[in-house]
Amino acid sequence: MQIKFYCDLYVSECWQSKKAKIMKKLKENRLQPAVYVVALSQGSQNHLEFFSSMLLKQHIFDNASLFVVGIADGYDEALFCVREITSQVYSETKETDIRGYLLKKQEEYERTGR
């Protein structure tokens, strides 16, 4: 599984100090039952999807590429994270193209290095 993290990763407040450790464990595909992943949807009809990181242990993710934009402490925090992302995108662009906004910011970050 290939995991890429968003340059301005959204993280539950309680996990700010553990962000690097959680990211490392996700890349190593280690079990983290409380961790929910918010990622760009694999299908083009949706913008975001979120699920328990335990699903990443399933074989359907073996060859998958995942662009993680947020990590959350459980289901409720994942909902809050999606709401936060949506609100930020709309307030900055007055549009609802979440996927486009996140990919554009990531591209700018990779191009400029900040």
Side-chain angles (χ1 to χ4, degrees), residues 7 43 54 56 59 61-62 95 102:
C7 60
M54 292 178 57
L56 298 176
H59 294 295
F61 287 101
D62 286 348
E95 295 180 6
L102 295 173

Side-chain angles (χ1 to χ4, degrees), residues 63-100:
N63 298 318
S65 294
L66 200 60
F67 185 59
V68 176
V69 297
I71 49 178
D73 180 17
Y75 181 85
D76 290 339
E77 286 287 324
L79 285 173
F80 179 77
C81 184
V82 169
R83 188 179 121 230
E84 185 179 341
I85 293 168
T86 305
S87 294
Q88 180 182 2
V89 170
Y90 187 76
S91 70
E92 291 185 22
T93 66
K94 300 298 183 225
E95 295 180 6
T96 57
D97 183 14
I98 297 167
R99 176 187 295 273

Side-chain angles (χ1 to χ4, degrees), residues 2-52:
Q2 297 266 23
I3 293 184
K4 183 176 182 177
F5 292 96
Y6 180 54
C7 60
D8 194 16
L9 188 68
Y10 295 84
V11 180
S12 289
E13 194 173 314
C14 64
W15 282 350
Q16 288 294 329
S17 63
K18 298 178 183 178
K19 176 181 165 183
K21 189 175 184 179
I22 293 169
M23 290 169 63
K24 182 179 183 225
K25 286 183 177 182
L26 282 172
K27 282 190 171 196
E28 295 170 351
N29 202 12
R30 293 176 46 199
L31 282 178
Q32 300 181 89
V35 175
Y36 268 67
V37 173
V38 180
L40 284 186
S41 177
Q42 297 293 319
S44 60
Q45 72 276 16
N46 296 319
H47 295 272
L48 299 172
E49 57 189 4
F50 65 91
F51 45 85
S52 170

